[in-house]
Amino acid sequence: MREKLEAIRRAAENAAKEAIDEKQIEELRVKYLGKKGELTALLKQMGSLTPEERPKMGQLVNEAKGQVEKLVSERKVKLKEKAVELKLKAETVDITMPEKPVNCGGLHPLSIVTNDLIDIFQSMGFDVLDGPEVETDHYNFECLNVPEDHPARDMQDTFYLADKILLRTQTSAAQIRTMETRKPPIRIICPGRVFRADEVDATHSPVFHQLEGLVVDKGVTMCDLMGVLEQFAHEIYGEDVNVRFRPSFFPFTEPSVEVDVSCTECGGKGCRICKGEGWIEILGAGMVHPNVLRSCGIDPDVYTGFAFGIGIDRITTTRYKISDIRLLFENDKRFLEQF
Ligand code: PHE
């Protein structure tokens, strides 16, 4: 029996050394130490021994059992470490590999220009505001000195959503909302989308973009208007462009002007872009009409102001020499990737 015990112990020792993974070690544990294992079987045979031999043999079997248990657990730990090591080796990252190209999105040209305009006016101390695209007749026309049946309504073909509810035709609606909630001194801009029921062609789109500006304070004059807008035109087009103020008409400003810059393509000689004129119109402006101030509860005898509405699409097409406004709205990737 003693020999048998020794043989089992040695066999277990060898098997443990040869086991190459945790599964084999587990099989080995079951084979020798399990309920039906060889060492357990040996213990069961103790009955056939003499009473003197029995305790001695019992002790030996238990010792052997302890040894095998130790072997198994030690081997198990080793194999586990080895498995981790192998896994780490297999997973090493080669940091010298070239990276995969990442496709980055970019800003739409209209967004680039809008951001530039915001930067320019913010540096002059203007606040940036937002207004709703769905407006009421009250804000889009009525308070802007355009009562119902006023012929000026024909200047802007309007999309009506319901009675007196419309898509704003101009960001000027933001002037009224501002003067209702803020008291002078006021210095704000409001960039955004506007809508008019125009036929689509190379220079017209039913959706386009404006940036409204409004300044109201004591003693604001036409000189302030001209200074701010000239400065703006030079910042956006460069010091070399000429700026011209033409008398015009808007119901909510008096006097009113339209502002042109010398054509950036031909420098003023006349070309396809400026339709031979040498000038490109970029905005409408004027001194806020006393009726408009009054409709917002501001006393026109104390305060004066000026307002302007810049065509963002026009600035964008002239800056990037884009010949058709539709390109700005089609979102063709081949076009957008150029910015
Ligand atoms: N709202 C005018 C337009 O859309 C532009 C404008 C704004 C004119 C502010 C004067 C003052 O044509």
Side-chain angles (χ1 to χ4, degrees):
M1 202 163 175
R2 219 175 265 236
E3 279 151 30
K4 210 170 177 183
L5 182 64
E6 184 52 24
I8 293 174
R9 206 188 53 76
R10 215 171 292 140
E13 201 172 331
N14 285 337
K17 267 188 209 144
E18 275 161 26
I20 53 159
D21 60 22
E22 287 184 67
K23 193 174 154 244
Q24 282 185 4
I25 271 286
E26 180 57 19
E27 280 167 10
L28 195 144
R29 193 189 63 75
V30 173
K31 182 170 180 222
Y32 293 98
L33 302 169
K35 261 192 202 144
K36 291 178 184 157
E38 294 187 18
L39 280 172
T40 321
L42 214 56
L43 271 176
K44 280 181 190 156
Q45 287 171 23
M46 299 269 285
S48 62
L49 296 177
T50 62
E52 297 88 62
E53 281 176 321
R54 219 175 280 156
K56 194 99 215 264
M57 210 44 211
Q59 196 191 343
L60 283 173
V61 174
N62 277 332
E63 263 174 32
K65 232 178 142 179
Q67 281 171 352
V68 174
E69 261 163 18
K70 199 166 156 231
L71 270 174
V72 165
S73 62
E74 277 174 5
R75 189 74 187 145
K76 220 178 201 168
V77 171
K78 270 231 173 78
L79 284 173
K80 220 177 214 160
E81 280 171 4
K82 212 167 173 184
V84 170
E85 205 176 296
L86 278 175
K87 202 168 169 208
L88 282 178
K89 243 191 206 145
E91 283 177 0
T92 42
V93 177
D94 182 356
I95 57 165
T96 63
M97 291 271 284
E99 60 178 319
K100 282 197 194 125
V102 179
N103 281 329
C104 250
L107 286 180
H108 191 280
L110 282 171
S111 303
I112 299 174
V113 170
T114 306
N115 289 345
D116 287 353
L117 297 182
I118 289 174
D119 275 353
I120 292 171
F121 284 107
Q122 262 180 340
S123 75
M124 295 191 213
F126 284 72
D127 282 349
V128 185
L129 299 185
D130 213 4
E133 291 178 349
V134 174
E135 263 298 1
T136 59
D137 184 276
H138 174 81
Y139 287 108
N140 196 82
F141 291 125
E142 201 79 33
C143 289
L144 283 164
N145 203 29
V146 190
E148 226 167 318
D149 303 327
H150 191 291
R153 290 209 180 194
D154 291 344
M155 285 163 75
Q156 303 176 355
D157 238 333
T158 310
F159 286 115
Y160 281 92
L161 302 177
D163 186 32
K164 305 229 178 232
I165 309 281
L166 46 86
L167 291 176
R168 68 176 173 194
T169 59
Q170 48 189 353
T171 43
S172 301
Q175 288 184 33
I176 307 301
R177 290 187 174 271
T178 306
M179 285 189 276
E180 274 184 0
T181 52
R182 296 190 179 201
K183 290 297 145 223
I186 292 169
R187 221 180 316 169
I188 61 103
I189 54 169
C190 170
R193 287 199 293 185
V194 295
F195 309 82
R196 286 181 205 175
D198 282 332
E199 280 300 328
V200 179
D201 63 26
T203 53
H204 291 88
S205 161
V207 186
F208 57 103
H209 301 78
Q210 287 188 332
L211 182 140
E212 193 77 12
L214 174 70
V215 174
V216 182
D217 202 354
K218 285 179 183 157
V220 174
T221 69
M222 191 81 184
C223 268
D224 298 309
L225 176 156
M226 294 174 82
V228 166
L229 294 180
E230 232 167 78
Q231 169 77 14
F232 151 76
H234 284 142
E235 293 221 24
I236 206 89
Y237 288 109
E239 288 299 322
D240 297 339
V241 296
N242 293 320
V243 183
R244 136 178 125 169
F245 293 81
R246 262 184 304 113
S248 184
F249 170 79
F250 299 103
F252 34 89
T253 48
E254 181 59 38
S256 303
V257 289
E258 275 174 317
V259 179
D260 303 335
V261 291
S262 51
C263 178
T264 46
E265 179 70 18
C266 63
K269 286 190 221 76
C271 69
R272 198 174 49 91
I273 301 279
C274 58
K275 298 199 177 88
E277 302 258 331
W279 296 94
I280 293 167
E281 183 200 322
I282 55 166
L283 62 92
M287 300 305 292
V288 182
H289 197 290
N291 285 352
V292 175
L293 292 174
R294 226 173 270 127
S295 76
C296 300
I298 294 176
D299 184 353
D301 291 330
V302 180
Y303 293 102
T304 50
F306 67 85
F308 53 90
I310 298 172
I312 299 179
D313 312 79
R314 181 61 70 84
I315 307 259
T316 307
T317 51
T318 51
R319 177 198 266 191
Y320 294 116
K321 308 202 194 310
I322 298 166
S323 55
D324 193 323
I325 194 176
R326 285 170 286 199
L327 287 165
L328 293 176
F329 302 100
E330 282 164 359
N331 287 331
D332 186 326
K333 253 183 91 191
R334 292 165 300 178
F335 169 75
L336 294 178
E337 274 164 0
Q338 298 175 43
F339 300 92

